[in-house]
Amino acid sequence: MKRSTRKLVLTAMLACLSFVLCTFVYFPSMAPFQHFVDVIAAVLLGPWYACAAAFLCGVLRMLSGRTIQAVVGAIFGPIVGGLLYEKTHSVWMAAAGEVFGTGILGALTAYPLMKAFYGLDAQEWYYYIPFYTPSAVMGALMGVAVVLALKRGGVLNRMQETLAR
């Protein structure tokens, strides 16, 4: 199987995993499992495939009744996390990128979109940061725990080698 096919299949699987976890394991105003999967995808697939998985999950969540925040809150974290992981090979940097990308960039992007598409007039431009950041931190930490467990067991290296072939 070609490398791109493997990556596309894993992208789709991670998008579905994220959607199922976000749908059935619900926390009020939080989607930590999106960020959990984002960190894993950033480490295994890199920024662009990880972004595609997050985008697919966000679209599925929008189709099931969520707002545009499902997409906006998802796409920046895997890109920043994936780019930082590519530069440093540190899962902690991937997590930090997820938190910054989602908690700051995604939150700041959500404000004008929610205002334009839904007519919501939150008082300040930074309104969504306190809602996005805790979810991103919790999910990123769960993702780090899984990636470190995979690394400790030697599975992470095998998965990365298989995806690179």
Side-chain angles (χ1 to χ4, degrees):
M1 190 182 303
K2 289 173 48 175
R3 173 177 37 158
S4 60
T5 305
R6 282 188 192 101
K7 285 189 170 192
L8 285 173
V9 169
L10 186 56
T11 299
M13 290 173 59
L14 289 173
C16 290
L17 174 66
S18 181
F19 175 71
V20 168
L21 288 172
C22 288
T23 301
F24 295 111
V25 184
Y26 182 73
F27 298 98
S29 301
M30 291 180 83
F33 289 104
Q34 175 69 55
H35 315 296
F36 161 74
V37 172
D38 286 351
V39 170
I40 295 169
V43 169
L44 290 175
L45 298 168
W48 311 115
Y49 283 98
C51 177
F55 179 78
L56 287 171
C57 177
V59 169
L60 289 172
R61 289 175 65 207
M62 279 184 66
L63 291 173
S64 67
R66 302 290 179 154
T67 66
I68 197 167
Q69 290 182 69
V71 173
V72 173
I75 59 172
F76 295 104
I79 293 172
V80 177
L83 289 172
L84 287 175
Y85 184 79
E86 281 183 350
K87 290 285 186 194
T88 65
H89 296 286
S90 165
V91 68
W92 292 104
M93 290 304 289
E98 173 65 28
V99 171
F100 177 77
T102 298
I104 305 299
L105 299 178
L108 293 176
T109 304
Y111 176 78
L113 293 175
M114 290 299 286
K115 192 173 184 176
F117 291 116
Y118 299 96
L120 298 178
D121 192 20
Q123 306 300 10
E124 299 294 335
W125 54 270
Y126 55 84
Y127 176 80
Y128 292 105
I129 292 174
F131 298 103
Y132 281 38
T133 304
S135 178
V137 168
M138 291 304 299
L141 290 176
M142 290 188 300
V144 166
V146 168
V147 170
L148 291 178
L150 291 172
K151 189 174 188 177
R152 197 172 310 116
V155 177
L156 180 66
N157 288 338
R158 285 193 309 246
M159 290 176 79
Q160 288 174 324
E161 288 170 5
T162 301
L163 289 168
R165 280 190 264 145

